[in-house]
Amino acid sequence: MKKFFYILACVAICLWFLGPLFFTFLASMTPSSDFYSMDKIFPSKLTFEHIYKLLVNLGGWRAMLVSVQVALIAIAISFAFGIPAGYAITRYIFRGKNMIKLVMLFTRSVPLVVIAVSLVTMYLRLNLADTMFGVALAHAAMVLPFVVLITSSIFSGVFVEYEEAGMIFGLSRFGAFLRITMPLALPGLAASAIFAFIMSWNEVFAASVLAITNRTLPAHILSTAMASPDYFKFAAGTIMAVPALIFIFIIRKYLISMWGISLK
Amino acid sequence: MAKVILNEVRKHFGNVKALDGINLTIEEGLFVVLLGPSGCGKTTLMRCISGLEKLTDGKILFDDADVSNTAPKDRNVAMVFQSYAVWPHMKVRDNIAYPLKLKKVPKKEIEERVKWVAELLHISELLDRFPSQLSGGQRQRVAVARAIVHRPKVLLMDEPLSNLDALLRVRMRSELRKLHDQVKVTTVYVTHDQTEAMTMGDKIAVMNAGRIIQYGTPEEIYRRPKTIFVAGFVGSPQMNFLPMKVTSSGNQFFAENFGLRIPLRTDPRKDRLTVGIRPEHIFLEQPGNSVSIGATVYFAEKLMSETVLHLMIDGDTTIVVKVPYDLSVEENDKMQVYVDLNRIHFFDPATGERIEL
Amino acid sequence: MKRESMVPLLLILPALVYLVVFIGYPIVGTFQLAFSSPKGWLENFKYVLSSRDFLSAFLNTILLGVVVIPAQFVLAILLALLVNKKWKGYKTILYIIATPLALSDVTAALISYSIFAPNGYLNKILLRLNWIERPLYFFGYLFRSREFLVVILTEIWRATPLVFVILLAGLQSINNEYLEAADVFGFSAWEKFTKITLPLLKPSIVSALLVRTLFAFQIFGVVWLLAGRDITILAGETYYWYVFMNNRNIASTYALIIAILTFIVGWFYIGTIRSKHLEEGVRT
Ligand SMILES: Nc1ncnc2c1ncn2[C@@H]1O[C@H](COP(=O)(O)OP(=O)(O)OP(=O)(O)O)[C@@H](O)[C@H]1O
Ligand SMILES: [Mg+2]
């Protein structure tokens, strides 16, 4: 009886969470004639035509490249600034440390909606308006507090003795960080980088406001989707979802702790 | 190998004076044990010697070179951490060889030295494993191997045995000591286990509250503890301390209380004394030069090979007596015990300092 | 000593400066934009607060929150209790529940559209089952209330996992001994849940509630894509005024209102978290 209930619950969960995804993927690969015929739930054949057209003819590929570049630059910047800060927070005792943590928590919860428009004004002066780089800078600001907090938690998982042993046995402080702590922290850091990638990949508001011609994929979809035929919408959903799902799958082991840090 | 000189070493963490003026000279090649209660600054002192902590004040010299401001990597010290800190991302072999590589030792020689140390510590079969595949005892050996293989001037060990089970601890104790006799590197060894200190150290430095109270051979520490603190800290069960009044008849001075009358050799020039008597120096049969005291059995701990008696000598004063055999006594039994007068310690109750009488 | 204590600050400084430049300064800029108007410094606010659009945007945003958040909590608690049993294969279910977390609001909207579109799978299935004769329409100004329903379902689908993850973490940190003790005293399952699990879960619930409420004021992508301005919302108005009306001042005024609401809610929650005693072993 109990077992039956569990199985039922699991089936319901799978249907509820995976069903819509499945249908979107299906729709994106359904020939348009099949899609518009009301009595065809499952298509007669699968086609990549919509996805191909969306990518090649409708600017999807270009937008995807912008998205990837934005995410990579955002990761580079946020990790370059975030790793030293995260390291300092775990490894040093200093005045104002709790202040710094509070600042990170606060800035993490400032919505990009609030600052995006004002950023445009700043960008106009800096000649960054409507550039891919400008979007990347904003995304880096969005990701940076998260990176600081998560790297600090990753570094605190690497015993300080390992690093100290390194210093005693012939490494400088920086050398010990590079040779001992970094290799040990690397899996966690890689997972956070992927997580940051998804955060940037999914962000739409700032990306839409900050750039008009250099739009990231979600911004591009937001501005064009409504005017496109339905099957392009599903194709768009698919190309947005698939990379994110793949990446999430790669880092699944770290997800719970990372969500813990990014949400709380 | 080096002589280590600590000169007025101070280390403060905010208001906490972890080290409060340490003066110590550790002779070349000696095995010195730092002994003291938790929080007295042992680890801090080690970290200062290694360079992991910067001194607040004072100087550290290796031989005649001032290393106070030298980075740890340039001090040529080695350390065995309490948690071992064997790098988990390197195989045992690389853990041992890595410090040598950093020192640019030729490859050939690295191989030889790793082989030598692996044999010395019986870890030859473990060289190609990762630390996660080792037991605690094995990991500890690897940590020791890594420490001695690069021939440090000073070898520092911070409670290296505290994570091992009792049996292994006893074995490693003698092995570490034997190892030291083979490699003869100046060693500073931290513990708060006094058996470890007594059996392993050439000399013991007893610390309390950031200071070194006494530095001497185990025998000196045991025979002539410099303060009440040292006397109480070293020896198990703890030394009995009895407050006594000084009396005199003619030229002869006595310490008197609890029906005990202990003759003093000279005038203590004090009204009161604290008399220290170790439990193992109180006997049930009269030894040569002794005084006797009447007592009631309050409680007896029977440990098979020895018996620890808690005896009431006064309304609310008990003394502890250790006899090296199984004794059958009942609570409230009355008995007569004998204090060996040659092994009595006297302390100034005001300062806690030892007084020779 | 002096030099040593400078090191951590030097390590943190770049990140701090970056955040000041790219988050702190723009916040100030938002204030500037919102409070500058040729007619007077409060004019933008007067205009926005007296407009019908604002009122409906405000009410819609609140309404969405009021409907969506409780539903998410009930669902999330049920899911978390189910997964927390740690039966064989619970990890798989956990990941399945978590999949929407990987997806953006834009994606979620498109996914939802595949179900509810005129030619979507809901209509196809219902037609096939002969439950309806003509396709149901969910989108368009005329079907605003249905649109609202779709937005709500989408939001529940998309963000329940977020609550779920926080609650699950909270559940897992509850010491099992409390529940075993309750067993000893003969508590029923329901009593165990209300008397033990729920009180101990409170910190997690509060922090999940905080996160959800903060996000509720920023809701944008789902509504914008599915309903456009049929259903106005605060973030949508910000976007509209900037992108379509090219008016940065009004857009910033809306943004500032969002910020103020966020701030008030955050303050309120943090106040409640602080004042509550925390059980041993439970983290906030
Ligand atoms: N990084 C630090 N910051 C502040 N106080 C510290 C720090 N390290 C040590 N202390 C303090 O300095 C004193 C000495 O600590 P230390 O670790 O040297 O003691 P210990 O003798 O090694 O103790 P144990 O036997 O428990 O290991 C303690 O009061 C401790 O709280
Ligand atoms: Mg210590």
Side-chain angles (χ1 to χ4, degrees), chain A residues 6 16 24 35-36 38-40 92 94 111 114 118 120 122 125 137 202 226 230 234 244 248 259 263, chain C residues 7 12 18 25-26 30 82 85 101-102 104 111 113-114 118-119 124 128 157 211 218 225 242 248:
Chain A
Y6 275 124
W16 170 257
T24 307
F35 179 74
Y36 285 117
M38 269 333 247
D39 44 54
K40 271 219 167 111
Y92 290 90
F94 55 94
V114 173
S118 152
V120 176
M122 187 169 121
R125 257 177 278 148
L137 287 175
N202 281 345
M226 279 311 144
D230 282 355
F234 309 135
I248 284 284
W259 276 318
L263 298 178
Chain C
V7 174
I12 286 175
Y18 193 88
Y25 179 72
T30 305
L82 186 77
K85 289 270 193 282
L101 276 177
S104 70
I111 287 172
Y113 190 72
S114 77
N119 289 64
K124 286 188 180 182
R128 171 72 60 90
W157 184 82
V211 173
Q218 306 166 33
L225 261 182
Y242 173 67
R248 271 183 261 152

Short mmCIF file of all heavy atoms in Angstrom, two decimals, chain A residues 6 16 24 35-36 38-40 92 94 111 114 118 120 122 125 137 202 226 230 234 244 248 259 263, chain C residues 7 12 18 25-26 30 82 85 101-102 104 111 113-114 118-119 124 128 157 211 218 225 242 248:
data_model
loop_
_atom_site.label_atom_id
_atom_site.label_comp_id
_atom_site.label_asym_id
_atom_site.label_seq_id
_atom_site.Cartn_x
_atom_site.Cartn_y
_atom_site.Cartn_z
N TYR A 6 4.05 5.57 -2.91
CA TYR A 6 5.32 6.17 -3.32
C TYR A 6 5.48 6.17 -4.82
O TYR A 6 5.90 7.14 -5.43
CB TYR A 6 6.50 5.42 -2.68
CG TYR A 6 6.82 5.92 -1.30
CD1 TYR A 6 6.85 5.05 -0.22
CD2 TYR A 6 7.10 7.26 -1.10
CE1 TYR A 6 7.13 5.51 1.05
CE2 TYR A 6 7.39 7.73 0.16
CZ TYR A 6 7.40 6.86 1.23
OH TYR A 6 7.70 7.32 2.47
N TRP A 16 4.81 15.84 -13.84
CA TRP A 16 4.66 17.27 -13.60
C TRP A 16 5.93 18.04 -13.96
O TRP A 16 5.88 19.11 -14.56
CB TRP A 16 4.26 17.50 -12.15
CG TRP A 16 4.30 18.93 -11.70
CD1 TRP A 16 5.26 19.53 -10.95
CD2 TRP A 16 3.34 19.95 -11.99
NE1 TRP A 16 4.96 20.85 -10.74
CE2 TRP A 16 3.77 21.14 -11.38
CE3 TRP A 16 2.14 19.99 -12.72
CZ2 TRP A 16 3.08 22.34 -11.44
CZ3 TRP A 16 1.44 21.19 -12.78
CH2 TRP A 16 1.90 22.34 -12.16
N THR A 24 7.92 20.30 -24.81
CA THR A 24 8.59 21.41 -25.50
C THR A 24 9.61 20.87 -26.50
O THR A 24 9.69 21.32 -27.65
CB THR A 24 9.29 22.30 -24.47
OG1 THR A 24 8.35 22.69 -23.50
CG2 THR A 24 9.87 23.54 -25.14
N PHE A 35 2.23 19.99 -36.32
CA PHE A 35 1.93 20.78 -35.13
C PHE A 35 0.58 21.45 -35.25
O PHE A 35 -0.19 21.49 -34.31
CB PHE A 35 3.02 21.83 -34.91
CG PHE A 35 2.75 22.69 -33.71
CD1 PHE A 35 2.93 22.18 -32.43
CD2 PHE A 35 2.27 23.98 -33.84
CE1 PHE A 35 2.66 22.95 -31.32
CE2 PHE A 35 2.00 24.75 -32.73
CZ PHE A 35 2.20 24.23 -31.47
N TYR A 36 0.30 21.96 -36.44
CA TYR A 36 -0.96 22.69 -36.58
C TYR A 36 -2.16 21.78 -36.81
O TYR A 36 -3.29 22.25 -36.82
CB TYR A 36 -0.85 23.74 -37.69
CG TYR A 36 -0.04 24.93 -37.24
CD1 TYR A 36 1.16 25.28 -37.85
CD2 TYR A 36 -0.47 25.69 -36.15
CE1 TYR A 36 1.90 26.35 -37.40
CE2 TYR A 36 0.26 26.76 -35.70
CZ TYR A 36 1.45 27.10 -36.33
OH TYR A 36 2.17 28.15 -35.86
N MET A 38 -4.71 19.44 -35.40
CA MET A 38 -5.13 19.29 -34.02
C MET A 38 -5.15 17.84 -33.56
O MET A 38 -5.06 17.56 -32.37
CB MET A 38 -6.55 19.86 -33.85
CG MET A 38 -6.60 21.32 -33.46
SD MET A 38 -5.18 21.92 -32.56
CE MET A 38 -5.90 22.26 -30.99
N ASP A 39 -5.26 16.88 -34.46
CA ASP A 39 -5.40 15.51 -33.98
C ASP A 39 -4.08 14.73 -33.99
O ASP A 39 -4.07 13.53 -33.87
CB ASP A 39 -6.48 14.77 -34.78
CG ASP A 39 -6.33 15.05 -36.25
OD1 ASP A 39 -5.22 14.83 -36.76
OD2 ASP A 39 -7.29 15.56 -36.85
N LYS A 40 -3.00 15.48 -34.16
CA LYS A 40 -1.70 14.79 -34.10
C LYS A 40 -0.96 15.20 -32.84
O LYS A 40 -0.44 16.30 -32.75
CB LYS A 40 -0.88 15.17 -35.33
CG LYS A 40 -1.12 14.26 -36.52
CD LYS A 40 0.20 14.00 -37.24
CE LYS A 40 0.08 12.86 -38.21
NZ LYS A 40 0.17 13.33 -39.61
N TYR A 92 41.78 34.53 6.73
CA TYR A 92 42.30 35.57 7.60
C TYR A 92 41.25 35.98 8.61
O TYR A 92 40.06 35.91 8.37
CB TYR A 92 42.69 36.81 6.79
CG TYR A 92 43.91 36.62 5.92
CD1 TYR A 92 43.78 36.17 4.62
CD2 TYR A 92 45.18 36.93 6.41
CE1 TYR A 92 44.90 36.00 3.81
CE2 TYR A 92 46.29 36.77 5.60
CZ TYR A 92 46.15 36.31 4.31
OH TYR A 92 47.24 36.15 3.52
N PHE A 94 40.18 39.34 10.42
CA PHE A 94 40.44 40.78 10.36
C PHE A 94 39.19 41.54 10.74
O PHE A 94 38.08 40.99 10.74
CB PHE A 94 40.91 41.20 8.96
CG PHE A 94 39.97 40.79 7.86
CD1 PHE A 94 39.00 41.66 7.40
CD2 PHE A 94 40.06 39.51 7.29
CE1 PHE A 94 38.14 41.28 6.38
CE2 PHE A 94 39.20 39.12 6.28
CZ PHE A 94 38.24 40.02 5.82
N PRO A 111 18.19 43.31 -6.90
CA PRO A 111 17.75 42.81 -8.20
C PRO A 111 18.38 43.61 -9.34
O PRO A 111 18.53 44.83 -9.22
CB PRO A 111 16.24 43.03 -8.18
CG PRO A 111 15.90 43.52 -6.82
CD PRO A 111 17.14 43.98 -6.15
N VAL A 114 16.57 46.61 -10.62
CA VAL A 114 16.70 47.91 -9.97
C VAL A 114 17.83 48.74 -10.56
O VAL A 114 17.73 49.95 -10.67
CB VAL A 114 16.91 47.71 -8.45
CG1 VAL A 114 17.20 49.03 -7.76
CG2 VAL A 114 15.68 47.06 -7.83
N SER A 118 19.71 52.34 -14.65
CA SER A 118 20.71 53.30 -14.23
C SER A 118 22.09 52.94 -14.80
O SER A 118 22.90 53.82 -15.11
CB SER A 118 20.72 53.34 -12.71
OG SER A 118 21.96 53.70 -12.22
N VAL A 120 22.60 51.84 -17.70
CA VAL A 120 22.63 52.36 -19.06
C VAL A 120 23.21 53.76 -19.07
O VAL A 120 24.08 54.10 -19.89
CB VAL A 120 21.21 52.38 -19.68
CG1 VAL A 120 21.25 53.02 -21.06
CG2 VAL A 120 20.66 50.97 -19.77
N MET A 122 25.21 55.09 -16.98
CA MET A 122 26.64 55.00 -16.73
C MET A 122 27.37 54.52 -17.99
O MET A 122 28.41 55.07 -18.36
CB MET A 122 26.87 54.03 -15.58
CG MET A 122 28.27 53.93 -15.08
SD MET A 122 28.27 53.00 -13.53
CE MET A 122 29.34 51.65 -13.96
N ARG A 125 28.08 57.03 -20.75
CA ARG A 125 29.26 57.86 -20.51
C ARG A 125 30.54 57.07 -20.78
O ARG A 125 31.53 57.62 -21.21
CB ARG A 125 29.26 58.37 -19.07
CG ARG A 125 28.82 59.82 -18.98
CD ARG A 125 28.76 60.26 -17.55
NE ARG A 125 27.51 59.85 -16.91
CZ ARG A 125 27.41 59.53 -15.63
NH1 ARG A 125 28.48 59.54 -14.86
NH2 ARG A 125 26.25 59.18 -15.12
N LEU A 137 29.83 42.84 -17.89
CA LEU A 137 30.21 43.52 -16.65
C LEU A 137 29.05 43.48 -15.65
O LEU A 137 29.26 43.25 -14.45
CB LEU A 137 30.58 44.97 -16.93
CG LEU A 137 31.93 45.19 -17.64
CD1 LEU A 137 32.12 46.66 -17.98
CD2 LEU A 137 33.07 44.71 -16.76
N ASN A 202 20.95 32.49 -18.08
CA ASN A 202 19.51 32.62 -17.88
C ASN A 202 19.05 34.06 -17.64
O ASN A 202 17.86 34.32 -17.68
CB ASN A 202 19.08 31.78 -16.67
CG ASN A 202 18.97 30.31 -17.02
OD1 ASN A 202 18.94 29.96 -18.20
ND2 ASN A 202 18.93 29.46 -16.03
N MET A 226 7.56 36.76 -29.49
CA MET A 226 6.13 36.99 -29.62
C MET A 226 5.71 37.18 -31.08
O MET A 226 4.57 36.90 -31.44
CB MET A 226 5.72 38.21 -28.78
CG MET A 226 5.55 37.83 -27.33
SD MET A 226 4.52 36.38 -27.21
CE MET A 226 5.16 35.47 -25.91
N ASP A 230 4.75 29.79 -33.62
CA ASP A 230 4.88 29.03 -32.39
C ASP A 230 6.07 28.08 -32.37
O ASP A 230 6.77 27.96 -31.38
CB ASP A 230 3.59 28.23 -32.14
CG ASP A 230 2.50 29.14 -31.60
OD1 ASP A 230 2.81 30.32 -31.35
OD2 ASP A 230 1.36 28.67 -31.44
N PHE A 234 9.17 27.20 -29.47
CA PHE A 234 9.58 25.94 -28.82
C PHE A 234 11.03 25.62 -29.13
O PHE A 234 11.77 25.13 -28.26
CB PHE A 234 8.66 24.80 -29.25
CG PHE A 234 7.22 25.15 -29.07
CD1 PHE A 234 6.27 24.88 -30.05
CD2 PHE A 234 6.80 25.80 -27.91
CE1 PHE A 234 4.95 25.22 -29.88
CE2 PHE A 234 5.48 26.15 -27.73
CZ PHE A 234 4.55 25.87 -28.72
N ALA A 244 21.64 24.36 -20.34
CA ALA A 244 21.50 24.51 -18.88
C ALA A 244 21.32 23.15 -18.22
O ALA A 244 21.95 22.85 -17.20
CB ALA A 244 20.33 25.42 -18.57
N ILE A 248 23.81 21.47 -15.55
CA ILE A 248 23.30 21.12 -14.22
C ILE A 248 23.56 19.65 -13.92
O ILE A 248 23.92 19.27 -12.81
CB ILE A 248 21.78 21.42 -14.14
CG1 ILE A 248 21.55 22.92 -14.00
CG2 ILE A 248 21.13 20.67 -12.99
CD1 ILE A 248 21.83 23.46 -12.63
N TRP A 259 23.05 25.74 -4.21
CA TRP A 259 21.77 26.42 -4.08
C TRP A 259 21.63 26.98 -2.67
O TRP A 259 21.13 28.08 -2.48
CB TRP A 259 20.61 25.48 -4.39
CG TRP A 259 20.34 25.40 -5.84
CD1 TRP A 259 20.33 26.44 -6.71
CD2 TRP A 259 20.04 24.23 -6.61
NE1 TRP A 259 20.05 25.99 -7.98
CE2 TRP A 259 19.86 24.64 -7.94
CE3 TRP A 259 19.92 22.89 -6.29
CZ2 TRP A 259 19.55 23.75 -8.95
CZ3 TRP A 259 19.60 22.01 -7.30
CH2 TRP A 259 19.43 22.43 -8.62
N LEU A 263 20.81 30.85 -2.56
CA LEU A 263 19.44 31.21 -2.24
C LEU A 263 19.26 31.81 -0.86
O LEU A 263 18.43 32.65 -0.65
CB LEU A 263 18.54 29.97 -2.36
CG LEU A 263 18.46 29.34 -3.73
CD1 LEU A 263 17.59 28.10 -3.68
CD2 LEU A 263 17.91 30.32 -4.74
N VAL C 7 46.94 42.51 4.25
CA VAL C 7 46.78 41.52 3.18
C VAL C 7 45.32 41.17 2.88
O VAL C 7 44.89 41.29 1.74
CB VAL C 7 47.61 40.26 3.48
CG1 VAL C 7 47.34 39.18 2.45
CG2 VAL C 7 49.09 40.61 3.52
N ILE C 12 40.45 41.64 -0.72
CA ILE C 12 39.01 41.87 -0.84
C ILE C 12 38.70 43.13 -1.63
O ILE C 12 37.68 43.22 -2.30
CB ILE C 12 38.38 41.93 0.57
CG1 ILE C 12 38.33 40.53 1.14
CG2 ILE C 12 36.98 42.50 0.53
CD1 ILE C 12 37.83 40.46 2.54
N TYR C 18 34.58 46.65 -7.22
CA TYR C 18 33.75 46.27 -8.35
C TYR C 18 32.27 46.37 -8.00
O TYR C 18 31.46 46.90 -8.76
CB TYR C 18 34.08 44.84 -8.79
CG TYR C 18 33.49 44.49 -10.13
CD1 TYR C 18 34.18 44.77 -11.30
CD2 TYR C 18 32.23 43.92 -10.23
CE1 TYR C 18 33.63 44.48 -12.53
CE2 TYR C 18 31.66 43.63 -11.46
CZ TYR C 18 32.37 43.91 -12.61
OH TYR C 18 31.82 43.64 -13.83
N TYR C 25 26.97 52.25 -7.10
CA TYR C 25 26.81 53.48 -7.85
C TYR C 25 25.52 53.48 -8.68
O TYR C 25 24.79 54.48 -8.66
CB TYR C 25 28.05 53.71 -8.72
CG TYR C 25 27.98 54.94 -9.56
CD1 TYR C 25 28.09 56.21 -8.97
CD2 TYR C 25 27.79 54.87 -10.93
CE1 TYR C 25 28.00 57.35 -9.74
CE2 TYR C 25 27.70 56.02 -11.71
CZ TYR C 25 27.81 57.26 -11.11
OH TYR C 25 27.72 58.38 -11.87
N PRO C 26 25.20 52.40 -9.38
CA PRO C 26 23.92 52.39 -10.12
C PRO C 26 22.70 52.56 -9.23
O PRO C 26 21.70 53.14 -9.66
CB PRO C 26 23.91 51.01 -10.79
CG PRO C 26 25.33 50.65 -10.91
CD PRO C 26 26.01 51.23 -9.72
N THR C 30 19.94 55.18 -9.81
CA THR C 30 18.50 54.94 -9.88
C THR C 30 17.76 56.02 -9.10
O THR C 30 16.76 56.56 -9.57
CB THR C 30 18.18 53.55 -9.29
OG1 THR C 30 18.95 52.57 -9.97
CG2 THR C 30 16.70 53.22 -9.46
N LEU C 82 8.53 13.90 1.27
CA LEU C 82 8.61 12.66 0.50
C LEU C 82 10.07 12.29 0.23
O LEU C 82 10.50 11.16 0.49
CB LEU C 82 7.87 12.84 -0.83
CG LEU C 82 7.75 11.60 -1.68
CD1 LEU C 82 6.66 10.71 -1.12
CD2 LEU C 82 7.43 11.96 -3.12
N LYS C 85 12.53 11.02 3.09
CA LYS C 85 12.45 9.65 3.59
C LYS C 85 13.66 8.83 3.17
O LYS C 85 13.95 7.79 3.72
CB LYS C 85 11.18 8.97 3.07
CG LYS C 85 9.91 9.51 3.71
CD LYS C 85 9.55 8.74 4.95
CE LYS C 85 8.15 9.06 5.42
NZ LYS C 85 8.07 10.35 6.13
N LEU C 101 15.04 24.45 -11.81
CA LEU C 101 15.97 25.45 -11.28
C LEU C 101 17.04 25.82 -12.28
O LEU C 101 17.64 26.88 -12.21
CB LEU C 101 16.63 24.90 -10.01
CG LEU C 101 15.84 25.07 -8.73
CD1 LEU C 101 16.59 24.43 -7.59
CD2 LEU C 101 15.61 26.54 -8.45
N ALA C 102 17.29 24.92 -13.23
CA ALA C 102 18.32 25.20 -14.22
C ALA C 102 17.79 26.12 -15.30
O ALA C 102 18.57 26.64 -16.09
CB ALA C 102 18.80 23.89 -14.84
N SER C 104 15.71 29.31 -17.11
CA SER C 104 15.39 30.71 -16.88
C SER C 104 13.88 30.91 -16.94
O SER C 104 13.14 30.03 -17.38
CB SER C 104 16.06 31.58 -17.93
OG SER C 104 15.42 31.36 -19.16
N ILE C 111 8.18 26.91 -22.31
CA ILE C 111 7.76 25.54 -22.03
C ILE C 111 6.27 25.51 -21.72
O ILE C 111 5.51 24.67 -22.23
CB ILE C 111 8.58 24.96 -20.86
CG1 ILE C 111 10.00 24.66 -21.33
CG2 ILE C 111 7.93 23.72 -20.30
CD1 ILE C 111 10.95 24.28 -20.24
N TYR C 113 4.16 27.60 -22.69
CA TYR C 113 3.41 27.92 -23.90
C TYR C 113 3.18 26.67 -24.75
O TYR C 113 2.14 26.53 -25.40
CB TYR C 113 4.17 28.98 -24.70
CG TYR C 113 3.37 29.54 -25.85
CD1 TYR C 113 2.29 30.39 -25.62
CD2 TYR C 113 3.67 29.21 -27.17
CE1 TYR C 113 1.54 30.89 -26.65
CE2 TYR C 113 2.92 29.71 -28.22
CZ TYR C 113 1.85 30.56 -27.96
OH TYR C 113 1.11 31.05 -28.99
N SER C 114 4.13 25.75 -24.73
CA SER C 114 3.95 24.54 -25.53
C SER C 114 2.76 23.73 -25.05
O SER C 114 2.15 22.99 -25.80
CB SER C 114 5.23 23.68 -25.49
OG SER C 114 5.32 22.99 -24.27
N PRO C 118 -2.76 27.63 -28.42
CA PRO C 118 -3.97 27.15 -29.09
C PRO C 118 -3.77 25.77 -29.68
O PRO C 118 -4.64 24.91 -29.62
CB PRO C 118 -4.20 28.20 -30.17
CG PRO C 118 -3.53 29.43 -29.66
CD PRO C 118 -2.39 28.99 -28.82
N ASN C 119 -2.59 25.56 -30.25
CA ASN C 119 -2.28 24.24 -30.79
C ASN C 119 -1.44 23.42 -29.82
O ASN C 119 -0.77 22.47 -30.20
CB ASN C 119 -1.52 24.36 -32.10
CG ASN C 119 -2.42 24.88 -33.20
OD1 ASN C 119 -2.91 25.99 -33.12
ND2 ASN C 119 -2.68 24.05 -34.20
N LYS C 124 -4.67 19.59 -27.57
CA LYS C 124 -4.63 18.37 -28.38
C LYS C 124 -5.13 17.17 -27.58
O LYS C 124 -5.90 16.36 -28.07
CB LYS C 124 -3.21 18.11 -28.89
CG LYS C 124 -2.80 19.06 -30.01
CD LYS C 124 -1.47 18.64 -30.60
CE LYS C 124 -1.08 19.61 -31.72
NZ LYS C 124 0.17 19.24 -32.35
N ARG C 128 -8.54 15.06 -28.15
CA ARG C 128 -8.44 13.64 -28.39
C ARG C 128 -9.34 12.85 -27.45
O ARG C 128 -9.98 11.87 -27.81
CB ARG C 128 -6.97 13.20 -28.21
CG ARG C 128 -6.72 11.71 -28.22
CD ARG C 128 -6.90 11.09 -29.59
NE ARG C 128 -6.00 11.64 -30.58
CZ ARG C 128 -4.80 11.17 -30.84
NH1 ARG C 128 -4.32 10.16 -30.19
NH2 ARG C 128 -4.06 11.72 -31.79
N TRP C 157 5.30 25.90 -11.24
CA TRP C 157 6.16 24.87 -11.82
C TRP C 157 7.63 25.27 -11.71
O TRP C 157 8.49 24.48 -11.33
CB TRP C 157 5.80 24.69 -13.30
CG TRP C 157 6.56 23.59 -13.97
CD1 TRP C 157 6.28 22.27 -13.93
CD2 TRP C 157 7.72 23.72 -14.80
NE1 TRP C 157 7.18 21.56 -14.66
CE2 TRP C 157 8.09 22.44 -15.21
CE3 TRP C 157 8.48 24.81 -15.22
CZ2 TRP C 157 9.17 22.18 -16.03
CZ3 TRP C 157 9.59 24.57 -16.04
CH2 TRP C 157 9.91 23.27 -16.43
N VAL C 211 13.29 34.55 0.42
CA VAL C 211 13.78 34.48 -0.96
C VAL C 211 12.63 34.58 -1.95
O VAL C 211 12.67 35.33 -2.92
CB VAL C 211 14.53 33.15 -1.17
CG1 VAL C 211 14.90 32.98 -2.63
CG2 VAL C 211 15.76 33.10 -0.31
N GLN C 218 10.27 40.82 -8.33
CA GLN C 218 11.06 40.97 -9.55
C GLN C 218 10.48 40.16 -10.70
O GLN C 218 11.07 40.13 -11.78
CB GLN C 218 12.50 40.48 -9.31
CG GLN C 218 13.18 41.13 -8.15
CD GLN C 218 14.43 40.38 -7.77
OE1 GLN C 218 15.10 39.81 -8.62
NE2 GLN C 218 14.75 40.36 -6.49
N LEU C 225 6.50 37.33 -21.35
CA LEU C 225 6.43 36.49 -22.55
C LEU C 225 5.02 35.95 -22.76
O LEU C 225 4.53 35.89 -23.88
CB LEU C 225 7.40 35.31 -22.43
CG LEU C 225 8.72 35.48 -23.16
CD1 LEU C 225 9.56 34.24 -23.01
CD2 LEU C 225 8.49 35.80 -24.62
N TYR C 242 11.29 51.78 -20.16
CA TYR C 242 12.63 52.01 -20.71
C TYR C 242 12.68 51.64 -22.18
O TYR C 242 13.08 52.44 -23.03
CB TYR C 242 13.70 51.22 -19.94
CG TYR C 242 15.03 51.35 -20.62
CD1 TYR C 242 15.68 52.58 -20.67
CD2 TYR C 242 15.61 50.28 -21.30
CE1 TYR C 242 16.87 52.74 -21.34
CE2 TYR C 242 16.80 50.43 -21.97
CZ TYR C 242 17.43 51.67 -22.00
OH TYR C 242 18.59 51.83 -22.67
N ARG C 248 13.81 56.90 -19.15
CA ARG C 248 14.60 56.29 -18.09
C ARG C 248 14.15 56.74 -16.70
O ARG C 248 14.31 56.03 -15.73
CB ARG C 248 16.07 56.64 -18.27
CG ARG C 248 16.80 55.64 -19.14
CD ARG C 248 18.25 55.98 -19.24
NE ARG C 248 18.51 56.70 -20.49
CZ ARG C 248 19.50 57.57 -20.63
NH1 ARG C 248 20.30 57.83 -19.63
NH2 ARG C 248 19.70 58.15 -21.78
#
